[in-house]
Amino acid sequence: MNAATVLEGRYRRLLAMYPAEHRRKHQDEMLGVLMTGARAGQHRPGLADTADLIWGALLIRLRPPARAPRGRSGVTRWPWSASSCL
C-alpha cells in the first residue's frame, strides 16, 4: 500500500465518528480537503487534524436536534385567533 492509501484509510476511520447522515453529506468533501492538505509521503493524520476531527464529531453528536416548526404551516401561532377576538 502506498502512503496516500494508508492515510486515506486512517482519515476514514476518524470520519467514522461523525453521524452517518453527516458523513453521507460531507465525507467526500472533508476527505478531499484533508488529503489535499497532507504532506507528500504522510502516513498518519497529524495531531491537529486528529484533534479537530474528534472535536468536530463530538460537537455534532452533542448538538441539540433541530426544532420542528410550530403549527402545521410552520408559522408561529399566536395565543389569540380571529375567532377569539369576536
Side-chain angles (χ1 to χ4, degrees):
M1 282 189 184
N2 65 20
T5 305
V6 172
L7 181 61
E8 182 177 333
R10 290 179 175 167
Y11 276 133
R12 284 186 186 278
R13 271 182 272 170
L14 287 168
L15 291 172
M17 292 185 291
Y18 284 81
E21 182 63 26
H22 184 83
R23 284 195 318 271
R24 271 192 288 282
K25 291 180 183 177
H26 305 288
Q27 182 171 348
D28 291 338
E29 181 182 359
M30 293 172 74
L31 189 57
V33 169
L34 291 164
M35 293 301 292
T36 300
R39 296 180 316 277
Q42 183 176 343
H43 293 268
R44 295 174 190 228
L47 181 59
D49 284 342
T50 301
D52 191 46
L53 290 169
I54 293 170
W55 182 246
L58 182 64
L59 289 178
I60 288 176
R61 288 192 176 273
L62 294 177
R63 180 178 14 185
R67 295 181 73 189
R70 292 183 178 181
R72 284 175 273 183
S73 65
V75 177
T76 302
R77 304 244 171 170
W78 295 97
W80 58 87
S81 64
S83 62
S84 67
C85 294
L86 297 176

